[in-house]
PDB file of all heavy atoms in Angstrom:
ATOM      1  N   ALA A 368     101.939  85.545 100.124  1.00  0.00           N
ATOM      2  CA  ALA A 368     102.428  86.888 100.434  1.00  0.00           C
ATOM      3  C   ALA A 368     101.735  87.445 101.675  1.00  0.00           C
ATOM      4  O   ALA A 368     102.454  87.990 102.586  1.00  0.00           O
ATOM      5  CB  ALA A 368     102.264  87.926  99.260  1.00  0.00           C
ATOM      6  N   ALA A 369     100.358  87.392 101.725  1.00  0.00           N
ATOM      7  CA  ALA A 369      99.702  87.799 102.877  1.00  0.00           C
ATOM      8  C   ALA A 369     100.146  87.111 104.203  1.00  0.00           C
ATOM      9  O   ALA A 369     100.347  87.654 105.270  1.00  0.00           O
ATOM     10  CB  ALA A 369      98.170  87.640 102.686  1.00  0.00           C
ATOM     11  N   VAL A 370     100.345  85.698 104.013  1.00  0.00           N
ATOM     12  CA  VAL A 370     100.572  84.804 105.234  1.00  0.00           C
ATOM     13  C   VAL A 370     102.068  85.030 105.622  1.00  0.00           C
ATOM     14  O   VAL A 370     102.339  85.169 106.829  1.00  0.00           O
ATOM     15  CB  VAL A 370     100.290  83.468 104.883  1.00  0.00           C
ATOM     16  CG1 VAL A 370     100.881  82.434 106.034  1.00  0.00           C
ATOM     17  CG2 VAL A 370      98.806  83.180 104.702  1.00  0.00           C
ATOM     18  N   ILE A 371     102.870  85.096 104.610  1.00  0.00           N
ATOM     19  CA  ILE A 371     104.356  85.318 104.893  1.00  0.00           C
ATOM     20  C   ILE A 371     104.526  86.605 105.609  1.00  0.00           C
ATOM     21  O   ILE A 371     105.358  86.895 106.469  1.00  0.00           O
ATOM     22  CB  ILE A 371     105.217  85.282 103.610  1.00  0.00           C
ATOM     23  CG1 ILE A 371     105.209  83.806 103.137  1.00  0.00           C
ATOM     24  CG2 ILE A 371     106.645  85.841 103.813  1.00  0.00           C
ATOM     25  CD1 ILE A 371     105.819  83.635 101.828  1.00  0.00           C
ATOM     26  N   GLY A 372     103.803  87.722 105.127  1.00  0.00           N
ATOM     27  CA  GLY A 372     103.891  88.984 105.720  1.00  0.00           C
ATOM     28  C   GLY A 372     103.337  89.112 107.205  1.00  0.00           C
ATOM     29  O   GLY A 372     103.731  90.013 107.854  1.00  0.00           O
ATOM     30  N   GLY A 373     102.619  88.153 107.656  1.00  0.00           N
ATOM     31  CA  GLY A 373     102.263  88.153 109.072  1.00  0.00           C
ATOM     32  C   GLY A 373     100.705  88.013 109.284  1.00  0.00           C
ATOM     33  O   GLY A 373     100.320  87.924 110.497  1.00  0.00           O
ATOM     34  N   THR A 374      99.938  88.004 108.233  1.00  0.00           N
ATOM     35  CA  THR A 374      98.412  87.825 108.268  1.00  0.00           C
ATOM     36  C   THR A 374      98.217  86.354 108.751  1.00  0.00           C
ATOM     37  O   THR A 374      98.625  85.354 108.082  1.00  0.00           O
ATOM     38  CB  THR A 374      97.632  88.197 107.102  1.00  0.00           C
ATOM     39  OG1 THR A 374      98.021  89.563 106.755  1.00  0.00           O
ATOM     40  CG2 THR A 374      96.213  88.004 107.277  1.00  0.00           C
ATOM     41  N   SER A 375      97.178  86.189 109.770  1.00  0.00           N
ATOM     42  CA  SER A 375      96.902  84.874 110.239  1.00  0.00           C
ATOM     43  C   SER A 375      95.811  84.188 109.410  1.00  0.00           C
ATOM     44  O   SER A 375      94.876  84.769 109.045  1.00  0.00           O
ATOM     45  CB  SER A 375      96.462  84.991 111.763  1.00  0.00           C
ATOM     46  OG  SER A 375      96.042  83.631 112.231  1.00  0.00           O
ATOM     47  N   LEU A 376      96.098  82.870 109.092  1.00  0.00           N
ATOM     48  CA  LEU A 376      95.030  82.103 108.398  1.00  0.00           C
ATOM     49  C   LEU A 376      93.856  81.872 109.291  1.00  0.00           C
ATOM     50  O   LEU A 376      92.852  81.393 108.823  1.00  0.00           O
ATOM     51  CB  LEU A 376      95.722  80.787 107.895  1.00  0.00           C
ATOM     52  CG  LEU A 376      96.562  80.889 106.776  1.00  0.00           C
ATOM     53  CD1 LEU A 376      97.418  79.587 106.649  1.00  0.00           C
ATOM     54  CD2 LEU A 376      95.826  81.184 105.560  1.00  0.00           C
ATOM     55  N   PHE A 377      93.957  82.018 110.637  1.00  0.00           N
ATOM     56  CA  PHE A 377      92.939  81.850 111.569  1.00  0.00           C
ATOM     57  C   PHE A 377      91.986  82.949 111.826  1.00  0.00           C
ATOM     58  O   PHE A 377      90.975  82.868 112.444  1.00  0.00           O
ATOM     59  CB  PHE A 377      93.487  81.231 112.930  1.00  0.00           C
ATOM     60  CG  PHE A 377      94.307  80.014 112.775  1.00  0.00           C
ATOM     61  CD1 PHE A 377      95.729  80.160 112.651  1.00  0.00           C
ATOM     62  CD2 PHE A 377      93.825  78.754 112.671  1.00  0.00           C
ATOM     63  CE1 PHE A 377      96.629  79.080 112.387  1.00  0.00           C
ATOM     64  CE2 PHE A 377      94.672  77.677 112.405  1.00  0.00           C
ATOM     65  CZ  PHE A 377      96.026  77.832 112.397  1.00  0.00           C
ATOM     66  N   GLY A 378      92.392  84.125 111.278  1.00  0.00           N
ATOM     67  CA  GLY A 378      91.562  85.289 111.330  1.00  0.00           C
ATOM     68  C   GLY A 378      91.796  86.183 112.574  1.00  0.00           C
ATOM     69  O   GLY A 378      92.485  85.707 113.562  1.00  0.00           O
ATOM     70  N   GLY A 379      91.495  87.366 112.504  1.00  0.00           N
ATOM     71  CA  GLY A 379      91.570  88.359 113.632  1.00  0.00           C
ATOM     72  C   GLY A 379      92.996  88.969 113.696  1.00  0.00           C
ATOM     73  O   GLY A 379      93.259  89.731 114.527  1.00  0.00           O
ATOM     74  N   LYS A 380      93.883  88.698 112.905  1.00  0.00           N
ATOM     75  CA  LYS A 380      95.280  89.220 113.046  1.00  0.00           C
ATOM     76  C   LYS A 380      95.926  89.403 111.633  1.00  0.00           C
ATOM     77  O   LYS A 380      96.013  88.604 110.792  1.00  0.00           O
ATOM     78  CB  LYS A 380      96.102  88.221 113.907  1.00  0.00           C
ATOM     79  CG  LYS A 380      97.579  88.666 114.081  1.00  0.00           C
ATOM     80  CD  LYS A 380      98.440  87.643 114.917  1.00  0.00           C
ATOM     81  CE  LYS A 380      99.814  88.099 115.011  1.00  0.00           C
ATOM     82  NZ  LYS A 380     100.584  88.038 113.689  1.00  0.00           N
ATOM     83  N   GLY A 381      96.322  90.630 111.506  1.00  0.00           N
ATOM     84  CA  GLY A 381      96.940  90.929 110.190  1.00  0.00           C
ATOM     85  C   GLY A 381      96.840  92.360 109.974  1.00  0.00           C
ATOM     86  O   GLY A 381      95.909  93.234 110.507  1.00  0.00           O
ATOM     87  N   LYS A 382      97.646  92.983 109.016  1.00  0.00           N
ATOM     88  CA  LYS A 382      97.559  94.368 108.649  1.00  0.00           C
ATOM     89  C   LYS A 382      97.874  94.466 107.077  1.00  0.00           C
ATOM     90  O   LYS A 382      98.479  93.612 106.521  1.00  0.00           O
ATOM     91  CB  LYS A 382      98.734  95.156 109.344  1.00  0.00           C
ATOM     92  CG  LYS A 382      98.499  95.240 110.821  1.00  0.00           C
ATOM     93  CD  LYS A 382      99.574  96.111 111.656  1.00  0.00           C
ATOM     94  CE  LYS A 382      99.256  96.103 113.091  1.00  0.00           C
ATOM     95  NZ  LYS A 382     100.436  96.975 113.743  1.00  0.00           N
TER      96      LYS A 382
END
Side-chain angles (χ1 to χ4, degrees):
V370 175
I371 289 170
T374 299
S375 175
L376 287 168
F377 303 98
K380 180 179 176 291
K382 295 182 179 180

